[in-house]
Amino acid sequence: MSVSDVCFASANSKDGFISFFDQVFGACSYRYILKGGSGTGKSSLMKKLGAAAEELGYQTEYILCSSDPDSVDGIIITDLGVCMIDGTAPHLCDVDLPGINSELVNLGNYWNKQKLALCTEEIKTKCAEKSALYAKAYNCLNAIDRVENITKGCSYPAFNHEKAEAYAARLTKQFVPYALGKEKIRLIDSVGMKGFKTLSSFEAGTNYKIKPLYLTEYLLLNTIYQSLHQKHLEMRISYRFLDTAAIDGIYLPQQDVSFTIGHAKDDCDKLINTERFVDKAFLAKGKNKLRFARRCEDELSSMLTDFFAQIAEAHFSIENDYIQAMNFTKLTQDTNRLIKKILQEHR
């Protein structure tokens, strides 16, 4: 799979679990919805289908799990208008018009219930532990957001919107649409069991990085987005996992240009210095609060990654119990037939 064909469609945010599944998968004409517990092979099946589609030359997108980026939540075979989605909690996708635009694939048919029964109490305990840890993680994310409100209170009034708008108009003047384009949501950042993760999916021929400055970089990126939006350009938009009201990435596929948050040390063609649009004297007045807020956020971020490490331990323990109860020989035979059927029926 190419790095340009992977993204997230959900986020662990200050408001809990946020899903963009409807927006990401909504354009597909046919959906296969997978059901089954952890370890039943949903992600493996989707990866196999994606590999088979790519082998036939079809453009394929992989939607990664925001909690475990090594796992796949869905794939889109763009050329066929077909997708396969993990429909278990917390996604809770279901069939719409069975056999017409969607169908259910239940991988729970391949587990041994007698074997699972032997692990009942362990699974119950681990599920309860995992749920409690997620609640703590979301509380932590909410606390980070509240600390960021302190930062915004000190930095946002210092941002010169008029100057930023004039700059954005000059910058985006060069981008002319080849045809009226649509905007697609494709998230590139997440936090989960592997810590903080940023995908390289928006790496382009020309990469603009907006230098972070007490969150005013998001005001600047939004200003650039508004200027691009008026041109009706084809765009892929990424929202922050913490606050999905804020844009943290823009990719223009027709122009092969990206705008993301970053530093000079990152691989970029042009660094946009956010300081140009901020009243430094005003910012200096709140320097003590800004430093305090940054220390708090660092501590909370460390706490957050610890919670997710504990979530991972519980999650993979549950997954192992299900793996031990699965008939993977039968599953492999049937899913190979399913993959062949999908690629033949929708070509």
Side-chain angles (χ1 to χ4, degrees):
M1 91 184 57
S2 166
V3 293
S4 62
D5 296 324
V6 298
C7 70
F8 300 110
S10 60
N12 294 307
S13 78
K14 67 180 178 68
D15 299 313
F17 180 79
I18 300 292
S19 173
F20 292 96
F21 271 40
D22 287 345
Q23 296 92 323
V24 172
F25 297 105
C28 296
S29 56
Y30 203 92
R31 304 187 305 164
Y32 292 86
I33 312 296
L34 303 184
K35 298 290 185 178
S38 300
T40 53
K42 299 186 298 294
S43 179
S44 296
L45 170 54
M46 288 185 278
K47 288 178 181 178
K48 284 174 68 176
L49 175 58
E54 287 187 88
E55 195 171 322
L56 292 173
Y58 295 131
Q59 182 182 354
T60 306
E61 267 192 280
Y62 295 81
I63 314 303
L64 306 184
C65 172
S66 55
S67 286
D68 179 11
D70 290 339
S71 184
V72 174
D73 270 351
I75 69 159
I76 302 171
I77 307 175
T78 309
D79 296 328
L80 301 181
V82 173
C83 66
M84 183 175 279
I85 312 171
D86 181 349
T88 56
H91 316 115
L92 297 178
C93 299
D94 218 329
V95 294
D96 181 14
L97 299 172
I100 297 174
N101 67 359
S102 54
E103 64 185 83
L104 187 67
V105 180
N106 186 6
L107 301 191
N109 292 330
Y110 299 90
W111 59 44
N112 185 316
K113 292 182 179 179
Q114 286 72 34
K115 284 187 178 180
L116 278 178
L118 299 175
C119 308
T120 300
E121 292 307 315
E122 180 183 350
I123 292 174
K124 279 184 179 179
T125 300
K126 289 296 181 181
C127 283
E129 179 184 336
K130 185 178 170 183
S131 179
L133 285 165
Y134 262 112
K136 292 178 181 179
Y138 290 138
N139 283 337
C140 199
L141 282 162
N142 188 265
I144 292 173
D145 178 68
R146 281 181 281 147
V147 169
E148 284 197 351
N149 286 335
I150 297 173
T151 300
K152 291 174 184 177
C154 296
S155 65
Y156 275 20
F159 188 76
N160 189 324
H161 289 273
E162 289 185 5
K163 188 175 182 180
E165 287 167 6
Y167 169 78
R170 293 193 304 271
L171 175 65
T172 60
K173 188 177 181 180
Q174 61 183 300
F175 304 122
V176 179
Y178 301 117
L180 293 182
K182 295 181 178 180
E183 296 182 12
K184 295 180 179 179
I185 296 174
R186 297 293 187 269
L187 308 189
I188 58 173
D189 288 300
S190 77
V191 63
M193 292 185 279
K194 301 297 170 70
F196 295 93
K197 178 75 173 179
T198 298
L199 303 175
S200 55
S201 313
F202 281 18
E203 284 188 1
T206 303
N207 296 287
Y208 288 84
K209 295 286 185 182
I210 299 176
K211 186 178 179 181
L213 183 66
Y214 298 116
L215 303 176
T216 57
E217 62 272 16
Y218 294 102
L219 296 178
L220 181 55
L221 184 55
N222 184 67
T223 304
I224 293 171
Y225 164 74
Q226 294 298 335
S227 185
L228 292 168
H229 175 72
Q230 293 173 10
K231 296 174 174 288
H232 304 288
L233 293 161
E234 181 180 342
M235 285 191 280
R236 294 177 189 169
I237 309 298
S238 174
Y239 295 102
R240 287 188 76 195
F241 67 83
L242 178 68
D243 178 8
T244 53
I247 293 171
D248 69 358
I250 302 168
Y251 175 63
L252 309 177
Q254 293 179 343
Q255 291 77 18
D256 196 23
V257 172
S258 71
F259 297 88
T260 52
I261 309 298
H263 298 270
K265 64 181 180 181
D266 298 331
D267 184 19
C268 70
D269 300 286
K270 183 172 178 59
L271 181 71
I272 302 175
N273 191 349
T274 314
E275 290 180 7
R276 295 168 51 190
F277 310 97
V278 172
D279 183 336
K280 295 179 184 176
F282 186 96
L283 204 61
K285 295 176 183 177
K287 64 180 181 180
N288 290 333
K289 290 181 181 178
L290 289 168
R291 288 171 182 169
F292 172 74
R294 179 166 286 175
R295 288 197 301 272
C296 289
E297 189 170 345
D298 288 343
E299 288 293 327
L300 286 167
S301 295
S302 177
M303 189 184 302
L304 178 65
T305 54
D306 184 58
F307 284 140
F308 272 114
Q310 294 177 63
I311 288 169
E313 186 177 342
H315 172 82
F316 290 114
S317 175
I318 296 166
E319 188 173 85
N320 186 63
D321 286 334
Y322 277 92
I323 287 172
Q324 299 304 316
M326 285 292 292
N327 184 345
F328 283 109
T329 302
K330 175 66 172 160
L331 173 63
T332 300
Q333 292 171 349
D334 288 353
T335 53
N336 285 343
R337 282 193 288 269
L338 175 62
I339 290 170
K340 186 176 180 180
K341 168 182 170 287
I342 291 170
L343 296 175
Q344 285 180 342
E345 282 188 359
H346 298 280
R347 62 186 176 183

